[in-house]
Amino acid sequence: MNSKYRKLFNDNFTAKKYNAFINDITADFDYKVTFRIGETPFFISNELKAQLLAGYQEVIDFIKNDDFKKLTDRALELNRKVANEDNHTTFLAIDFGICEENGEIVPKLIEVQGFPSLYNFQNHLSQKFVNHYPFLSELTPFFNRLNQESYLRLIEEVICNDLPKENVILLEVEPEKQNTKIDFYYCHRDIGIPIVCVTELFQIGKQLFYKNNLGKDIIVKRIYNRVIFDELDLRTDLKLDFDFSADLDVEWAGHPNWFFRISKFILPYLKGKYFIETTLLSDLKEIPKDLENYVLKPLFSFSGSGVIFHVKKEDIEAVKQKDLYILQKKVNYKPIIQSPDGLVKAEVRLLAVWKKNEPSPTLVTNLVRLSRGEMIGVKFNKDKDWVGGTVGMFEK
């Protein structure tokens, strides 16, 4: 990490400052974020940044292969297929654990998603850090020479595609109950598009509509999709007045098919320095004897649900749909961030957007998760400090 800024930050940090920082975020919408926000940014060295960029590019090269869609058609067969798929994903979230291998620090690909993350919240989070620690204005969370203004313009362009704001919606399952609703609030404030629950949409012919605050029917021309089908399928209590899989006259900012195509489904195909040994259970020739060195993961779960960290032979034998699970070698997360009382692990999510007619995606910003637990994630970090969501910052 960047030791200069680590020392500067730690020398300036107090619990009182952290509370003021959290209160600053809370004050924007009179709403306290329900996930934990870490005390510190991750100050990423130029060397680690170069490694992250190299790993990112290898993932992008794989996704850009001419036969990528053919290779991932099976992912749709295993789930569902939505009509009017576009040529490429709109969003990419690529997670690298900061690990140690052969005595060296190396980022390892943990997850890749063709789905949006906290694009709006991360922008404001980095600015809040700068507000409370002004020396951080020397750093940036952005890539490709973006700044706060150009970043927001690009995000708006990608989400709205130059359509009127009232005809573009952020779609979610009961958005007011989601852990990520702070991102929805910032998106609405930054861009001006309405936040709509799946139960508020209705279909007439091939078109979708919602009612605005005045009760007027408004046509939906583009959907910024935040719906996870895993969650939607569990909500049998919800009545939908439209069919996701129908041939609808609507554009997608984040077509649902890409959630399945770009997912853990592609991990077994990725080989190299920045990737982890991963095997589809249906391709597993024999169960490894050293299962303590592996993690069992469902292909299409979200936020770590269904992951078995301490794998037993019976766990593998109990899986009935073996083409829906992977067995992945464990990696050695390297505690690298100096807190006041010990070292903390980190995982860096690189966030990219892919404009409609561009040949490649654009890497824009990042999200970082800090952990003192066995794994990255809330349940492994209960009642701990210097853990949770934050942002990586680089020298400009």
Side-chain angles (χ1 to χ4, degrees), residues 18 21-22 25 33 35-42 118 121-122 125 129 347 366-371 376-378 381 386-392:
Y18 175 67
F21 163 72
I22 295 297
I25 297 170
V33 176
F35 56 86
R36 194 176 196 286
I37 299 173
E39 281 82 345
T40 177
F42 180 18
L118 307 181
F121 176 66
Q122 288 304 112
L125 179 63
F129 272 119
E347 191 170 282
N366 75 92
L367 179 158
V368 171
R369 292 189 294 170
L370 306 179
S371 174
I376 304 288
V378 174
N381 288 282
W386 284 62
V387 299
T390 184
V391 64

Short mmCIF file of all heavy atoms in Angstrom, two decimals, residues 18 21-22 25 33 35-42 118 121-122 125 129 347 366-371 376-378 381 386-392:
data_model
loop_
_atom_site.label_atom_id
_atom_site.label_comp_id
_atom_site.label_asym_id
_atom_site.label_seq_id
_atom_site.Cartn_x
_atom_site.Cartn_y
_atom_site.Cartn_z
N TYR A 18 -14.43 9.92 12.71
CA TYR A 18 -15.19 8.86 12.02
C TYR A 18 -16.69 9.07 12.21
O TYR A 18 -17.46 8.97 11.25
CB TYR A 18 -14.78 7.49 12.53
CG TYR A 18 -15.60 6.35 11.95
CD1 TYR A 18 -15.51 6.03 10.59
CD2 TYR A 18 -16.48 5.63 12.74
CE1 TYR A 18 -16.27 4.99 10.06
CE2 TYR A 18 -17.24 4.59 12.22
CZ TYR A 18 -17.13 4.28 10.87
OH TYR A 18 -17.89 3.26 10.34
N PHE A 21 -17.86 11.87 10.07
CA PHE A 21 -17.88 11.39 8.68
C PHE A 21 -19.17 10.60 8.40
O PHE A 21 -19.85 10.84 7.40
CB PHE A 21 -16.62 10.54 8.48
CG PHE A 21 -16.61 9.63 7.30
CD1 PHE A 21 -16.47 10.11 6.01
CD2 PHE A 21 -16.68 8.25 7.48
CE1 PHE A 21 -16.42 9.25 4.92
CE2 PHE A 21 -16.63 7.38 6.40
CZ PHE A 21 -16.51 7.88 5.12
N ILE A 22 -19.53 9.68 9.29
CA ILE A 22 -20.76 8.91 9.13
C ILE A 22 -21.99 9.82 9.21
O ILE A 22 -22.94 9.70 8.42
CB ILE A 22 -20.85 7.78 10.19
CG1 ILE A 22 -19.73 6.76 9.98
CG2 ILE A 22 -22.22 7.10 10.15
CD1 ILE A 22 -19.76 6.02 8.67
N ILE A 25 -22.66 11.59 5.95
CA ILE A 25 -23.37 10.75 4.98
C ILE A 25 -24.84 10.63 5.35
O ILE A 25 -25.74 10.77 4.51
CB ILE A 25 -22.71 9.36 4.89
CG1 ILE A 25 -21.29 9.48 4.37
CG2 ILE A 25 -23.53 8.42 4.00
CD1 ILE A 25 -20.47 8.20 4.47
N VAL A 33 -26.93 4.58 6.77
CA VAL A 33 -26.62 3.41 5.94
C VAL A 33 -26.66 2.15 6.81
O VAL A 33 -26.13 2.15 7.93
CB VAL A 33 -25.24 3.58 5.28
CG1 VAL A 33 -24.86 2.33 4.51
CG2 VAL A 33 -25.25 4.79 4.36
N PHE A 35 -25.33 -0.88 6.03
CA PHE A 35 -24.11 -1.68 6.01
C PHE A 35 -22.98 -0.86 6.63
O PHE A 35 -23.06 0.37 6.70
CB PHE A 35 -23.74 -2.13 4.59
CG PHE A 35 -23.59 -1.02 3.59
CD1 PHE A 35 -22.38 -0.35 3.43
CD2 PHE A 35 -24.65 -0.65 2.77
CE1 PHE A 35 -22.23 0.67 2.50
CE2 PHE A 35 -24.52 0.37 1.83
CZ PHE A 35 -23.30 1.02 1.71
N ARG A 36 -21.97 -1.54 7.09
CA ARG A 36 -20.89 -0.83 7.79
C ARG A 36 -19.95 -0.15 6.79
O ARG A 36 -19.51 -0.77 5.83
CB ARG A 36 -20.09 -1.76 8.70
CG ARG A 36 -19.21 -0.96 9.66
CD ARG A 36 -18.47 -1.82 10.67
NE ARG A 36 -17.97 -0.97 11.76
CZ ARG A 36 -16.94 -0.13 11.64
NH1 ARG A 36 -16.27 -0.08 10.49
NH2 ARG A 36 -16.57 0.63 12.65
N ILE A 37 -19.65 1.10 7.05
CA ILE A 37 -18.68 1.84 6.25
C ILE A 37 -17.36 1.85 7.00
O ILE A 37 -17.30 2.17 8.19
CB ILE A 37 -19.17 3.28 5.98
CG1 ILE A 37 -20.49 3.25 5.20
CG2 ILE A 37 -18.11 4.07 5.22
CD1 ILE A 37 -21.13 4.60 5.03
N GLY A 38 -16.30 1.48 6.32
CA GLY A 38 -14.98 1.40 6.95
C GLY A 38 -14.44 2.76 7.34
O GLY A 38 -14.79 3.80 6.76
N GLU A 39 -13.56 2.76 8.32
CA GLU A 39 -12.97 4.00 8.83
C GLU A 39 -12.02 4.67 7.85
O GLU A 39 -11.79 5.87 7.94
CB GLU A 39 -12.19 3.70 10.13
CG GLU A 39 -13.05 3.55 11.37
CD GLU A 39 -13.67 2.18 11.54
OE1 GLU A 39 -13.68 1.38 10.56
OE2 GLU A 39 -14.15 1.89 12.63
N THR A 40 -11.47 3.90 6.93
CA THR A 40 -10.37 4.42 6.11
C THR A 40 -10.52 4.03 4.65
O THR A 40 -11.05 2.97 4.34
CB THR A 40 -9.03 3.86 6.63
OG1 THR A 40 -7.96 4.32 5.78
CG2 THR A 40 -9.01 2.34 6.63
N PRO A 41 -10.02 4.86 3.75
CA PRO A 41 -9.82 4.38 2.37
C PRO A 41 -8.67 3.37 2.34
O PRO A 41 -7.91 3.24 3.31
CB PRO A 41 -9.44 5.65 1.60
CG PRO A 41 -9.76 6.80 2.50
CD PRO A 41 -9.65 6.28 3.90
N PHE A 42 -8.55 2.69 1.23
CA PHE A 42 -7.40 1.82 0.97
C PHE A 42 -6.46 2.61 0.06
O PHE A 42 -6.82 2.94 -1.06
CB PHE A 42 -7.87 0.53 0.30
CG PHE A 42 -6.78 -0.47 -0.03
CD1 PHE A 42 -5.53 -0.42 0.58
CD2 PHE A 42 -7.02 -1.48 -0.94
CE1 PHE A 42 -4.54 -1.35 0.28
CE2 PHE A 42 -6.05 -2.43 -1.25
CZ PHE A 42 -4.81 -2.35 -0.63
N LEU A 118 -22.38 -0.06 -6.65
CA LEU A 118 -22.75 1.21 -6.02
C LEU A 118 -22.08 2.40 -6.71
O LEU A 118 -21.34 3.17 -6.10
CB LEU A 118 -22.37 1.17 -4.54
CG LEU A 118 -22.90 -0.01 -3.73
CD1 LEU A 118 -22.44 0.10 -2.28
CD2 LEU A 118 -24.41 -0.09 -3.79
N PHE A 121 -23.06 5.91 -5.02
CA PHE A 121 -22.61 6.02 -3.63
C PHE A 121 -21.09 6.13 -3.54
O PHE A 121 -20.57 6.95 -2.78
CB PHE A 121 -23.09 4.81 -2.82
CG PHE A 121 -22.58 4.81 -1.41
CD1 PHE A 121 -22.98 5.79 -0.50
CD2 PHE A 121 -21.66 3.85 -0.99
CE1 PHE A 121 -22.49 5.80 0.80
CE2 PHE A 121 -21.17 3.86 0.31
CZ PHE A 121 -21.59 4.84 1.21
N GLN A 122 -20.37 5.32 -4.32
CA GLN A 122 -18.91 5.34 -4.23
C GLN A 122 -18.33 6.71 -4.56
O GLN A 122 -17.35 7.15 -3.97
CB GLN A 122 -18.30 4.28 -5.14
CG GLN A 122 -18.49 2.86 -4.65
CD GLN A 122 -17.94 2.63 -3.26
OE1 GLN A 122 -18.70 2.41 -2.31
NE2 GLN A 122 -16.63 2.68 -3.12
N LEU A 125 -18.95 8.78 -1.48
CA LEU A 125 -18.15 8.29 -0.36
C LEU A 125 -16.72 8.84 -0.45
O LEU A 125 -16.16 9.29 0.56
CB LEU A 125 -18.13 6.76 -0.36
CG LEU A 125 -17.30 6.09 0.74
CD1 LEU A 125 -17.87 6.43 2.12
CD2 LEU A 125 -17.26 4.58 0.53
N PHE A 129 -14.74 11.43 2.28
CA PHE A 129 -13.41 11.25 2.87
C PHE A 129 -12.56 12.49 2.67
O PHE A 129 -11.87 12.95 3.58
CB PHE A 129 -12.72 10.03 2.26
CG PHE A 129 -13.00 8.73 2.96
CD1 PHE A 129 -13.60 7.68 2.28
CD2 PHE A 129 -12.65 8.55 4.29
CE1 PHE A 129 -13.86 6.47 2.93
CE2 PHE A 129 -12.90 7.34 4.94
CZ PHE A 129 -13.50 6.30 4.26
N GLU A 347 -10.41 -6.38 -0.21
CA GLU A 347 -10.84 -6.87 -1.53
C GLU A 347 -11.23 -5.64 -2.35
O GLU A 347 -11.97 -4.78 -1.87
CB GLU A 347 -12.03 -7.81 -1.36
CG GLU A 347 -12.41 -8.59 -2.61
CD GLU A 347 -13.44 -9.67 -2.30
OE1 GLU A 347 -13.05 -10.73 -1.76
OE2 GLU A 347 -14.63 -9.46 -2.59
N ASN A 366 -13.89 2.39 -8.19
CA ASN A 366 -13.70 1.15 -7.43
C ASN A 366 -14.50 1.16 -6.14
O ASN A 366 -14.98 2.21 -5.68
CB ASN A 366 -12.21 0.95 -7.14
CG ASN A 366 -11.72 1.89 -6.05
OD1 ASN A 366 -11.72 1.54 -4.87
ND2 ASN A 366 -11.31 3.09 -6.45
N LEU A 367 -14.58 0.01 -5.58
CA LEU A 367 -15.19 -0.20 -4.26
C LEU A 367 -14.26 -1.15 -3.51
O LEU A 367 -13.73 -2.10 -4.11
CB LEU A 367 -16.58 -0.81 -4.42
CG LEU A 367 -17.45 -1.15 -3.21
CD1 LEU A 367 -18.92 -1.20 -3.64
CD2 LEU A 367 -17.09 -2.49 -2.57
N VAL A 368 -14.05 -0.92 -2.24
CA VAL A 368 -13.17 -1.79 -1.44
C VAL A 368 -13.95 -2.29 -0.24
O VAL A 368 -14.75 -1.57 0.36
CB VAL A 368 -11.91 -1.02 -0.98
CG1 VAL A 368 -11.11 -1.83 0.02
CG2 VAL A 368 -11.05 -0.66 -2.19
N ARG A 369 -13.70 -3.55 0.10
CA ARG A 369 -14.26 -4.10 1.34
C ARG A 369 -13.11 -4.52 2.25
O ARG A 369 -12.16 -5.18 1.79
CB ARG A 369 -15.19 -5.27 1.05
CG ARG A 369 -16.45 -4.84 0.32
CD ARG A 369 -17.46 -5.95 0.22
NE ARG A 369 -17.00 -7.03 -0.62
CZ ARG A 369 -17.61 -8.21 -0.72
NH1 ARG A 369 -18.70 -8.45 -0.01
NH2 ARG A 369 -17.14 -9.14 -1.52
N LEU A 370 -13.20 -4.13 3.50
CA LEU A 370 -12.18 -4.43 4.50
C LEU A 370 -12.68 -5.51 5.45
O LEU A 370 -13.86 -5.54 5.79
CB LEU A 370 -11.84 -3.17 5.31
CG LEU A 370 -11.45 -1.92 4.52
CD1 LEU A 370 -11.18 -0.76 5.48
CD2 LEU A 370 -10.23 -2.19 3.64
N SER A 371 -11.76 -6.38 5.88
CA SER A 371 -12.17 -7.49 6.74
C SER A 371 -11.08 -7.86 7.73
O SER A 371 -9.90 -7.82 7.41
CB SER A 371 -12.51 -8.72 5.88
OG SER A 371 -12.78 -9.85 6.69
N ILE A 376 -14.26 -12.08 3.51
CA ILE A 376 -14.80 -10.73 3.33
C ILE A 376 -16.32 -10.87 3.46
O ILE A 376 -16.93 -11.74 2.85
CB ILE A 376 -14.45 -10.18 1.94
CG1 ILE A 376 -12.93 -10.20 1.72
CG2 ILE A 376 -15.01 -8.79 1.76
CD1 ILE A 376 -12.12 -9.21 2.48
N GLY A 377 -16.94 -10.02 4.23
CA GLY A 377 -18.40 -10.08 4.34
C GLY A 377 -18.86 -9.78 5.75
O GLY A 377 -18.12 -9.94 6.73
N VAL A 378 -20.11 -9.33 5.85
CA VAL A 378 -20.66 -8.83 7.11
C VAL A 378 -20.60 -9.88 8.21
O VAL A 378 -20.17 -9.60 9.34
CB VAL A 378 -22.12 -8.35 6.90
CG1 VAL A 378 -22.75 -7.98 8.24
CG2 VAL A 378 -22.16 -7.18 5.95
N ASN A 381 -17.46 -10.26 10.18
CA ASN A 381 -16.86 -9.04 10.72
C ASN A 381 -17.76 -8.34 11.75
O ASN A 381 -17.68 -7.13 11.94
CB ASN A 381 -16.54 -8.07 9.58
CG ASN A 381 -15.35 -8.54 8.76
OD1 ASN A 381 -14.21 -8.40 9.17
ND2 ASN A 381 -15.62 -9.13 7.61
N TRP A 386 -12.73 -0.91 11.76
CA TRP A 386 -11.85 -0.86 10.59
C TRP A 386 -12.18 -1.99 9.61
O TRP A 386 -11.30 -2.63 9.04
CB TRP A 386 -10.38 -0.85 11.00
CG TRP A 386 -9.97 0.51 11.52
CD1 TRP A 386 -10.49 1.13 12.64
CD2 TRP A 386 -9.02 1.42 10.97
NE1 TRP A 386 -9.91 2.36 12.80
CE2 TRP A 386 -9.00 2.57 11.80
CE3 TRP A 386 -8.18 1.38 9.87
CZ2 TRP A 386 -8.19 3.67 11.55
CZ3 TRP A 386 -7.35 2.46 9.62
CH2 TRP A 386 -7.36 3.60 10.46
N VAL A 387 -13.47 -2.24 9.44
CA VAL A 387 -13.97 -3.21 8.47
C VAL A 387 -15.16 -2.57 7.76
O VAL A 387 -15.70 -1.55 8.19
CB VAL A 387 -14.41 -4.54 9.14
CG1 VAL A 387 -13.24 -5.22 9.84
CG2 VAL A 387 -15.57 -4.31 10.14
N GLY A 388 -15.57 -3.18 6.65
CA GLY A 388 -16.74 -2.72 5.92
C GLY A 388 -16.40 -2.13 4.57
O GLY A 388 -15.30 -2.29 4.05
N GLY A 389 -17.37 -1.44 3.99
CA GLY A 389 -17.21 -0.88 2.65
C GLY A 389 -16.45 0.43 2.66
O GLY A 389 -16.65 1.27 3.54
N THR A 390 -15.58 0.60 1.69
CA THR A 390 -14.84 1.85 1.56
C THR A 390 -14.43 2.03 0.10
O THR A 390 -15.05 1.45 -0.79
CB THR A 390 -13.64 1.89 2.54
OG1 THR A 390 -13.00 3.16 2.44
CG2 THR A 390 -12.63 0.79 2.27
N VAL A 391 -13.38 2.80 -0.13
CA VAL A 391 -12.96 3.10 -1.50
C VAL A 391 -11.43 3.08 -1.57
O VAL A 391 -10.75 3.40 -0.60
CB VAL A 391 -13.51 4.48 -1.94
CG1 VAL A 391 -12.94 5.61 -1.09
CG2 VAL A 391 -13.29 4.73 -3.42
N GLY A 392 -10.91 2.66 -2.71
CA GLY A 392 -9.48 2.72 -2.94
C GLY A 392 -9.09 4.06 -3.53
O GLY A 392 -9.81 4.61 -4.35
#
